[in-house]
Amino acid sequence: MDEFLEAAIDEAKIGLEEGGIPIGSVLVHNGKIIGRGHNRRIQKGSAILHGEMDALENAGRLSAKVYKESVLYTTLSPCSMCSGAIALYGIPKIIIGENNTFMGEEEYLLSKGVNVEVVNNSACIEMMNKFINENPELWNEDIGEE
């Protein structure tokens, strides 16, 4: 398995251990992780700390050039908020662990010229299925459903 997807999965597991939603992400520039994060909405009482947003936040303030040379890895297809941030900063490629449990805004990303690669990793799928089955209220809150 790709070491960077593995790092995103590790982030998702950390989130789960903290009592949160198991979605992780890493931002990679020139073969090095420069930002990592996981969904911390529950842990931080946050409206926006999805895995991708947390990874971008933890990467800190970067030049446009760095974003345009980076790859974002995420365990789950990104929602409209996270996809908007990816497009805003011009991140050219995203590797998605899975989109079976949730289909995010992949078409939007494609329309913005982002190279979208979905690997349908079994560990990502199993982790999300288990979480959704055991915590439907938290999951629905996270994706903005009732």
Side-chain angles (χ1 to χ4, degrees):
M1 179 189 314
D2 184 297
E3 68 179 290
F4 300 124
L5 182 58
E6 189 67 45
I9 292 169
D10 289 344
E11 284 293 323
K13 290 176 182 175
I14 292 168
L16 187 60
E17 290 167 8
E18 294 173 350
I21 298 168
I23 303 168
S25 184
V26 294
L27 183 64
V28 177
H29 181 256
N30 291 335
K32 179 180 175 222
I33 295 173
I34 60 171
R36 58 175 61 233
H38 51 274
N39 186 304
R40 296 191 303 153
R41 289 186 70 248
I42 294 166
Q43 300 92 310
K44 295 287 188 180
S46 170
I48 61 168
L49 279 181
H50 282 187
E52 300 89 343
M53 301 298 279
D54 194 41
L56 290 170
E57 177 71 14
N58 290 330
R61 189 171 159 203
L62 302 170
S63 71
K65 181 180 187 303
V66 172
Y67 291 118
K68 289 178 181 5
E69 296 173 344
S70 295
V71 178
L72 187 74
Y73 288 74
T74 183
T75 58
L76 186 64
S77 187
C79 73
S80 51
M81 174 179 64
C82 297
S83 295
I86 293 162
L88 175 68
Y89 291 112
I91 297 170
K93 184 172 184 177
I94 180 168
I95 309 291
I96 299 170
E98 68 103 347
N99 64 5
N100 291 336
T101 59
F102 178 77
M103 174 57 78
E105 298 295 331
E106 294 172 23
E107 290 297 322
Y108 170 76
L109 290 169
L110 290 167
S111 78
K112 294 296 187 179
V114 177
N115 178 348
V116 175
E117 184 179 329
V118 182
V119 298
N120 283 321
N121 176 275
S122 60
C124 294
I125 296 168
E126 290 168 22
M127 186 167 35
M128 282 310 301
N129 274 327
K130 184 175 190 301
F131 181 83
I132 291 167
N133 288 333
E134 293 175 359
N135 304 280
E137 305 85 18
L138 291 177
W139 173 242
N140 287 336
E141 175 191 324
D142 197 63
I143 59 171
E145 292 188 9
E146 292 183 29

